[in-house]
Amino acid sequence: MTDVTACIERAARLLRKSSNVVVTTGAGMSKESGIPTFRDAPNALWKDYDPQQLATREGFRRDPALVWRWYADRRAMIAGARPHAGHMALAEMESMFARFILITQNIDNLHRSAGSTNLVELHGNIFRFKCFDNDHPVEAPEAVDEPPTCACGSLVRPAVVWFGEILDDSDLARSFEALESCHAIIVVGTSGLVYPAAGFAAAARSAGAAIVEINPEETTLTAQADVFVPSTAGSALPMLVERLRG
Ligand code: BJW
């Protein structure tokens, strides 16, 4: 029996005792769909740019066309991606527990495409748009090289959450209500560096929940996890669902 199989079995045992489960996912969840993680080496075209500078209001103010093109390139790449077996496993998991919520930091729509419905997209969605000054929702604009203009005169931007921006109140309320009552939290494919998501496992733990982490690399969370599964989302999640079905 491999270590991973033993870890999956331990995770399944914990989850069988739980009727209220939170799953939280980060960029590693989408890696096997061909989408690079946020902190992976960037592709050649963007190697001279720091995502932490581009994904900010200051970055957009400084050079709106540059930030617009960065998102347009990423959107084109994401549009060609499909959910993998791990996304499908999480969609199936939704019906296995009396209460279940999936809180993703990903903006790529893949959980929705896989069929997850009780979903919080904490950092927004790259296929939605709003204006920079007033947050007016804007219909998906034509593919253009420069940000278009909203009816109010403000430039249009992707409806994602940049560094330093406040997250949506109702998304946060739904998330913390679930975290404060869950029996177990499964943390998949996040480096745990960006708040508030980086604090979710600790919030769930303070309320008495068990922590399962799935990641091929150890993270800042690993030492606190009850079970660490050293594997990828696309491999570990289908195995876990299989064990839960059995
Ligand atoms: C695999 C795998 C496989 C690989 N399978 N796994 C408290 C303390 C300090 C600072 C702050 C704080 N509270 C707030 C802040 C400021 C800031 C923050 O956290 N800064 C940190 C850098 C320190 N947070 C914010 O600004 C947030 N706003 C906020 O809190 O407002 C109130 C406030 C503001 C200011 C001060 C205080 C309070 C907003 C955060 C918005 C983040 N937005 C981004 C961009 C979204 C749009 C876009 O994509 O362009 O969201 S940043 C980026 O990081 C993106 C991601 O969702 C996010 C997290 O990254 P993630 O998902 O963890 O990806 P990676 O790449 O880091 O990790 C991938 C992992 O996958 C790795 O572990 C791999 O090993 C693993 N992996 N293959 C499974 N196959």
Side-chain angles (χ1 to χ4, degrees):
M1 190 151 77
T2 65
D3 276 349
V4 170
T5 313
C7 294
I8 297 275
E9 184 50 45
R10 284 172 53 218
R13 235 179 282 137
L14 270 179
L15 290 168
R16 278 192 212 103
K17 290 189 274 184
S18 313
S19 58
N20 184 344
V21 171
V22 173
V23 176
T24 176
T25 62
M29 180 74 217
S30 298
K31 174 111 173 181
E32 289 150 295
S33 289
I35 303 175
T37 67
F38 204 79
R39 287 164 186 81
D40 268 346
N43 72 37
L45 192 61
W46 294 102
K47 70 175 173 16
D48 296 331
Y49 298 94
D50 175 3
Q52 284 200 209
Q53 302 291 319
L54 297 175
T56 61
R57 289 185 71 81
E58 296 70 36
F60 189 80
R61 254 191 223 107
R62 196 164 42 237
D63 194 341
L66 176 76
V67 174
W68 182 260
R69 283 198 301 277
W70 184 54
Y71 278 98
D73 269 13
R74 292 173 61 204
R75 192 176 304 111
M77 187 258 299
I78 288 170
R82 295 288 166 267
H84 59 66
H87 292 99
M88 299 301 181
L90 287 182
E92 181 176 347
M93 213 184 262
E94 191 166 316
S95 60
M96 292 179 149
F97 300 96
R99 287 194 65 193
F100 179 94
I101 190 167
L102 173 51
I103 310 171
T104 187
Q105 297 175 78
N106 299 341
I107 58 170
D108 56 31
N109 222 26
L110 289 182
H111 286 302
R112 207 180 288 283
S113 304
S116 287
T117 57
N118 201 16
L119 177 67
V120 175
E121 290 173 314
L122 202 65
H123 293 167
N125 186 308
I126 197 168
F127 297 105
R128 290 203 297 268
F129 300 86
K130 62 181 183 179
C131 75
F132 183 75
D133 290 331
N134 300 308
D135 287 343
H136 294 138
V138 177
E139 286 296 304
E142 299 285 315
V144 282
D145 262 0
E146 304 257 326
T149 306
C150 175
C152 72
S154 161
L155 292 180
V156 173
R157 53 164 283 185
V160 298
V161 182
W162 285 332
F163 284 110
E165 290 191 308
I166 306 296
L167 286 81
D168 180 80
D169 273 351
S170 69
D171 286 346
L172 280 179
R174 268 178 84 199
S175 302
F176 279 99
E177 191 276 326
L179 291 162
E180 283 157 13
S181 62
C182 70
H183 304 142
I185 180 168
I186 311 175
V187 182
V188 187
T190 175
S191 55
L193 297 174
V194 176
Y195 287 85
F200 283 177
R205 163 56 53 84
S206 311
I211 301 173
V212 174
E213 184 185 28
I214 299 175
N215 197 311
E217 308 291 335
E218 294 195 6
T219 70
T220 50
L221 175 66
T222 308
Q224 283 107 65
D226 296 279
V227 182
F228 172 64
V229 183
S231 180
T232 69
S235 167
L237 287 166
M239 284 168 74
L240 183 57
V241 164
E242 181 64 37
R243 299 303 301 160
L244 289 171
R245 270 198 228 110

